[in-house]
Amino acid sequence: MKTTILNCHALLGEAATPSPGPVDIEIDGRLITEIRPAGAREPAEGAVIDGRELLIAAGLINGHHHSHEGFYKGRKDNLPLELWMNYVRPLKPIELTPRDVYLRTMIGAIEAVRSGTTTLCDDTNQSPRIRPDHVEQVFQAYEDIGIRANVGITLFDKPFFRAVPFVDEEFPKDLLAEFDGTRMYSGAELLDFVRGLARDHHPSTNRVAYMAAPSAPQRCTQEFLLDVRRMADDFDLPLMIHVQETRMQVVTGHLFYGSTMIEYLHRIGFMKPKTAFIHGIWLNPREIELLAKTGVSIQHNPPSNLKVGSGLAPVRELLKAGVNVSLGTDGCGSIEGTDMQNALYLAALLQKLRGDYTEWVGAEEAFHAATMGGARALGRGKELGAVEAGRVADLVGYRLDRIPFTPLNNAVNQLVYAASRAEVDLVMVDGEVIERDGKLTRIDEAAIIDEIREAHTRIAPQLAASETDVERISPHYERIYRRCQCMEIAADTYPARLSH
């Protein structure tokens, strides 16, 4: 099918340069085939979209989300990561139907599309037990709404509570015995399951695809980390892993490995291109050099980093070293949604708290991280991330006749600092329109929202009971957290908080 967007303004190429005047964008199937001055010739046969009041830009790439947190939206506040994270990792399974999982996934997917996101990377937790019918519904939700998605099943082969130091000293013996006695999947079982996903949902042939997602170094044995690395390499998959989000994780690295986690991952040969280190906030210059040398991206999530107080990543230092930086939101538990317009806004503004104004991060670099940065992190820097002939037509149209763009002086600055998801009028993925005139085209949004509400009413008592159960371990985590806060880290670690 051919589609032509007529008489629009556009942000063109990898630099997102504003078009000098109105242009027509011709799309054949899933690819952009031509961008020409408006009216230069008649459009090809096919669908025509009136773009007179649209700014067409590359679709935003949300490099990190956790769909399993959907029902936890708004439940917690004012807790640091280590004291919050257990609330969205139940000690006992929440009993969900496959349809519940589908609806839970739609919570983030709907907001993602509405905020101009065309690619979403979902690290969905299936522990303490994997149900293939649940995983199938995650993929199905993204298929139905039309977004491009990379779905990773959270992988770890160590008990979750043993990913922090001092548990043998701070946990009561009966709790240790209870948690250590909980059956976990072996690394072999996990890898057997996800290899099937890689074969059936490979990103080279599927819009909704599998990506490797080992949870974090401290939650995996070295053997398992290297097995996942080999699996990703064998299938040529992108990989994401949480690394050094908090000061406590830097301390944990020294206690577990005798070095920081990044130094450990480099030492074991884990760091390669098409790999995203999620967060990467507490870094020193030597680690940034390793990231640049190995081609690893930093996946920056300013909304959640603020909400759980993890801090401010040294984005300027990363960019100066040549490290690719992508952008994301994180899950609905740590931050209340997948609004990439919010992430864009914060990514540009927050970095102005660092250094001299001549080195501040601005709107252009934030937008680049949300488009080309995301594409490169996934190994798709030649296909996605820009409005350019030959690339996949993953596009967003913003209404120029709304107040954020009136008067129009600088399209990129106003998109980042003034626009919101309310200005998103057109979303196209793989050349197909999945939102137009403010309406999702492939699903009945109102009906799904009603169904989400009904499901939540039924599930909410289980969520409350699970949170009460987590309170059993909260005092022990609190002591471990306080203990780690008192331990020294490298003096040249870039400061991430006003006080730490």
Side-chain angles (χ1 to χ4, degrees):
M1 177 180 175
K2 293 187 177 181
T3 303
T4 307
I5 306 173
L6 293 176
N7 210 29
C8 64
H9 287 73
L11 301 178
L12 300 175
E14 294 187 5
T17 304
S19 57
V23 295
D24 295 341
I25 300 174
E26 195 164 284
I27 299 154
D28 189 352
R30 64 193 296 267
L31 298 179
I32 300 169
T33 53
E34 186 181 5
I35 302 170
R36 57 181 181 265
R41 64 177 176 83
E42 290 297 309
E45 288 188 15
V48 172
I49 295 173
D50 182 356
R52 279 175 296 176
E53 294 295 349
L54 292 181
L55 173 68
I56 300 296
L60 303 180
I61 297 174
N62 187 337
H64 189 54
H65 170 55
H66 293 295
S67 66
H68 61 271
E69 296 176 4
F71 286 123
Y72 289 91
K73 183 185 290 190
R75 294 186 71 89
K76 294 294 176 183
D77 194 10
N78 289 347
L79 285 175
L81 177 78
E82 283 84 9
L83 303 184
W84 160 82
M85 62 185 179
N86 293 295
Y87 289 105
V88 293
R89 301 292 192 282
L91 301 179
K92 298 171 186 174
I94 302 291
E95 295 300 329
L96 301 176
T97 68
R99 184 65 179 178
D100 292 336
V101 173
Y102 178 93
L103 296 170
R104 182 179 70 179
T105 306
M106 278 295 190
I107 294 170
I110 289 171
E111 185 172 19
V113 174
R114 287 202 160 279
S115 66
T117 302
T118 53
T119 298
L120 181 63
C121 297
D122 180 7
D123 181 358
T124 182
N125 183 40
Q126 293 292 313
S127 65
R129 64 188 184 207
I130 293 176
R131 286 187 50 176
D133 57 342
H134 282 193
V135 175
E136 179 184 327
Q137 290 305 302
V138 176
F139 281 82
Q140 191 62 55
Y142 294 132
E143 287 285 1
D144 289 354
I145 198 170
I147 198 170
R148 186 179 310 284
N150 293 276
V151 179
I153 309 304
T154 309
L155 301 174
F156 54 95
D157 68 335
K158 290 171 62 175
F160 195 82
F161 78 104
R162 286 201 173 274
V164 297
F166 308 126
V167 291
D168 287 309
E169 299 171 33
E170 298 292 353
F171 272 57
K173 299 300 182 188
D174 58 336
L175 275 182
L176 285 175
E178 177 187 341
F179 295 153
D180 282 331
T182 302
R183 184 193 179 278
M184 290 186 61
Y185 291 97
S186 68
E189 289 174 308
L190 292 170
L191 284 168
D192 182 62
F193 179 73
V194 297
R195 281 193 188 101
L197 295 177
R199 284 190 294 268
D200 296 340
H201 303 275
H202 196 274
S204 65
T205 52
N206 291 271
R207 174 173 52 79
V208 181
Y210 172 72
M211 72 182 297
S215 180
Q218 68 272 25
R219 298 180 196 128
C220 301
T221 62
Q222 179 176 322
E223 179 184 12
F224 184 60
L225 273 178
L226 293 177
D227 284 343
V228 177
R229 175 76 272 173
R230 279 189 289 271
M231 185 267 295
D233 293 344
D234 289 346
F235 283 95
D236 191 22
L237 298 170
L239 182 151
M240 58 179 164
I241 180 171
H242 299 77
V243 181
Q244 287 178 213
E245 178 179 359
T246 66
R247 187 184 188 282
M248 181 170 161
Q249 290 175 9
V250 179
V251 171
T252 300
H254 283 288
L255 292 170
F256 282 13
Y257 315 117
S259 68
T260 69
M261 293 184 188
I262 289 178
E263 291 164 336
Y264 162 68
L265 291 171
H266 182 254
R267 193 164 63 241
I268 67 173
F270 188 87
M271 296 173 66
K272 297 182 180 182
K274 288 182 71 168
T275 300
F277 282 4
I278 304 161
H279 302 300
I281 297 172
W282 293 81
L283 304 175
N284 64 45
R286 296 172 301 288
E287 293 170 322
I288 291 177
E289 184 179 344
L290 290 177
L291 293 165
K293 176 182 175 182
T294 57
V296 171
S297 297
I298 286 295
Q299 208 292 305
H300 180 42
N301 304 279
S304 73
N305 297 160
L306 283 177
K307 177 81 182 298
V308 297
S310 296
L312 189 60
V315 173
R316 173 54 66 207
E317 286 75 14
L318 289 162
L319 294 175
K320 283 170 66 175
V323 178
N324 182 57
V325 176
S326 64
L327 197 61
T329 57
D330 216 339
C332 291
S334 59
I335 192 64
E336 268 47 64
T338 53
D339 188 340
M340 274 293 285
Q341 285 296 133
N342 190 36
L344 263 179
Y345 177 78
L346 292 173
L349 285 182
L350 284 171
Q351 293 297 319
K352 300 182 199 318
L353 296 174
R354 283 189 183 278
D356 185 78
Y357 78 93
T358 58
E359 293 201 334
W360 287 349
V361 172
E364 289 183 6
E365 288 163 308
F367 186 74
H368 189 271
T371 51
M372 282 305 306
R376 288 174 179 153
L378 295 170
R380 305 191 71 171
K382 300 296 184 184
E383 303 170 79
L384 307 176
V387 183
E388 191 172 67
R391 290 183 185 259
V392 176
D394 283 10
L395 305 173
V396 176
Y398 298 85
R399 295 292 307 190
L400 288 173
D401 56 352
R402 304 280 173 82
I403 200 65
F405 292 104
T406 305
L408 183 62
N409 288 304
N410 184 302
V412 175
N413 284 354
Q414 288 170 248
L415 190 160
V416 171
Y417 294 125
S420 71
R421 61 190 181 196
E423 282 67 61
V424 174
D425 188 72
L426 170 72
V427 179
M428 178 180 285
V429 176
D430 255 1
E432 179 186 352
V433 174
I434 67 170
E435 180 182 349
R436 184 69 176 114
D437 298 327
K439 294 182 180 179
L440 302 177
T441 64
R442 292 171 55 114
I443 63 170
D444 185 338
E445 181 180 2
I448 287 176
I449 288 174
D450 285 344
E451 201 175 349
I452 290 168
R453 288 173 171 170
E454 291 172 5
H456 178 257
T457 299
R458 172 171 42 80
I459 294 164
Q462 288 190 71
L463 301 179
S466 175
E467 289 170 343
T468 299
D469 193 25
V470 168
E471 297 296 336
R472 292 190 294 149
I473 63 175
S474 294
H476 317 304
Y477 268 90
E478 173 84 26
R479 287 196 299 274
I480 292 169
Y481 172 78
R482 297 291 181 192
R483 193 168 168 178
C484 288
Q485 293 302 102
C486 298
M487 301 183 72
E488 293 297 321
I489 61 174
D492 60 350
T493 303
Y494 289 103
R497 296 184 59 182
L498 295 178
S499 63
H500 55 84

